[in-house]
Amino acid sequence: MAQNNQQPRTEQEKKEQDYRQHVEQITPTYSLPLQMLKAFVMGGLICLLGQFILNYATQRMGMDKETAAAWCSMLLVLTSVVLTGFNIYQKLVRWSGGGALVPITGFANSVASAAIEYQKEGQVFGIGCKIFTIAGPVILFGIVTSWALGLIYWVGTLIGMV
């Protein structure tokens, strides 16, 4: 029985070589410069859309900058959620990688994706409980970090550094 478990060294080496070839065949290859270019283009297009909305709101609609910025944010979030609902945003992410994950649109996509994924479990236990599974930690660490920086700023003003 012990002899059946032991294989000749050449057979073991052949299996290892076959395995390495199999891994090389199925492992996707990426061109880093091409992926960086795609991310740059997609991120730039999203930012260009945001700038267009901002300029249109201030110049054509007569809004002040703060109101225009709020509308710009809302429209970018709405666009991201609608594209996520139609499964278009995921294709953009697959094509561009990190370029489509520009903070506001990527954040909206993560919240909408979780809501869509868990809707079959119901309004409360599905969407209500799972909607912030990805976005929750981002919100938590954003609040904690802003609190810590505010504390550092406050202490700095008390001791005269700021």
Side-chain angles (χ1 to χ4, degrees):
M1 286 246 129
Q3 290 177 345
N4 290 342
N5 289 337
Q6 295 177 354
Q7 299 172 350
R9 183 159 172 81
T10 57
E11 191 174 323
Q12 181 67 24
E13 289 174 354
K14 184 179 180 331
K15 283 186 178 183
E16 289 175 6
Q17 183 181 8
D18 289 344
Y19 177 74
R20 278 193 295 271
Q21 287 176 350
H22 175 70
V23 168
E24 287 177 13
Q25 288 175 352
I26 64 168
T27 302
T29 56
Y30 295 103
S31 167
L32 183 60
L34 181 62
Q35 283 303 110
M36 290 171 61
L37 179 66
K38 288 179 179 180
F40 179 78
V41 167
M42 181 56 67
L45 287 173
I46 292 170
C47 292
L48 183 68
L49 175 63
Q51 191 64 50
F52 173 78
I53 294 169
L54 197 59
N55 289 350
Y56 187 82
T58 55
Q59 295 170 1
R60 303 279 183 181
M61 299 181 75
M63 293 182 190
D64 62 291
K65 285 187 178 185
E66 288 183 20
T67 305
W71 274 98
C72 177
S73 297
M74 287 187 294
L75 288 173
L76 286 174
V77 166
L78 175 66
T79 303
S80 176
V81 169
V82 169
L83 291 176
T84 299
F86 286 113
N87 203 26
I88 296 171
Y89 201 87
Q90 296 304 331
K91 293 174 185 172
L92 295 175
V93 170
R94 258 185 257 117
W95 180 79
S96 69
L101 299 176
V102 173
I104 195 164
T105 56
F107 187 74
N109 170 260
S110 69
V111 172
S113 295
I116 291 168
E117 182 178 347
Y118 292 106
Q119 77 180 24
K120 61 185 170 282
E121 295 179 23
Q123 296 291 321
V124 175
F125 293 113
I127 296 173
C129 292
K130 303 289 185 173
I131 195 167
F132 290 111
T133 55
I134 296 173
V138 174
I139 294 170
L140 172 70
F141 288 112
I143 290 170
V144 169
T145 302
S146 65
W147 183 85
L149 290 174
L151 182 64
I152 291 168
Y153 179 78
W154 179 69
V155 170
T157 57
L158 287 179
I159 61 174
M161 288 182 64
V162 178

